Amino acid sequence: MNLTSVLLIIILITIAWSYYNLANKYNRSRIGYMLLGLGIYIVVVFLNALTYTFLGVISNNIGRSTHRLLSFLIGVLVVILVHFWLEKKWLKKVNVDANKAIDEIGKE
């Protein structure tokens, strides 16, 4: 195994673990959101690889290994952004539910 394979395995395990914990925290489908996080990462890296391979936009400027590491980094950044967006969205829903509960208690 080379360094790229080890890096990919570590990234995939970390993404799966973070999305699993996020779904567990907000009582969502743990396996579904774990697969969502992994799917987002794989799609972003795949699209970045297609850009490198077929369009050749940056093929003259940087090497293959550098592009591979940049693809991993861009994929991780997109996954982190989606993770925080989901957490913010679910937290708003929890706060709205809490406010409704407080209003119902006040009516009694």
Side-chain angles (χ1 to χ4, degrees):
M1 288 179 79
N2 58 11
L3 181 63
T4 306
S5 300
V6 172
L7 180 64
L8 180 62
I9 290 170
I10 291 171
I11 289 171
L12 292 177
I13 289 171
T14 305
I15 290 169
W17 174 74
S18 67
Y19 272 80
Y20 181 87
N21 286 336
L22 178 68
N24 193 27
K25 180 179 177 182
Y26 291 101
N27 296 325
R28 305 288 179 159
S29 171
R30 294 181 259 314
I31 301 298
Y33 281 99
M34 183 176 71
L35 293 175
L36 174 74
L38 291 173
I40 290 170
Y41 178 77
I42 290 170
V43 166
V44 168
V45 170
F46 181 71
L47 289 176
N48 203 350
L50 284 178
T51 301
Y52 179 77
T53 304
F54 293 119
L55 299 179
V57 173
I58 55 177
S59 62
N60 294 331
N61 298 332
I62 59 174
R64 175 185 271 172
S65 60
T66 306
H67 185 267
R68 194 176 295 159
L69 291 175
L70 284 174
S71 296
F72 290 161
L73 178 64
I74 291 169
V76 167
L77 289 176
V78 170
V79 167
I80 289 171
L81 289 174
V82 171
H83 183 278
F84 283 120
W85 177 76
L86 283 173
E87 188 169 17
K88 184 178 177 183
K89 178 180 169 185
W90 293 344
L91 187 60
K92 280 184 183 178
K93 185 176 180 189
V94 168
N95 289 339
V96 168
D97 292 341
N99 288 337
K100 286 181 183 178
I102 290 170
D103 292 339
E104 288 179 12
I105 291 172
K107 290 179 183 177
E108 295 177 358

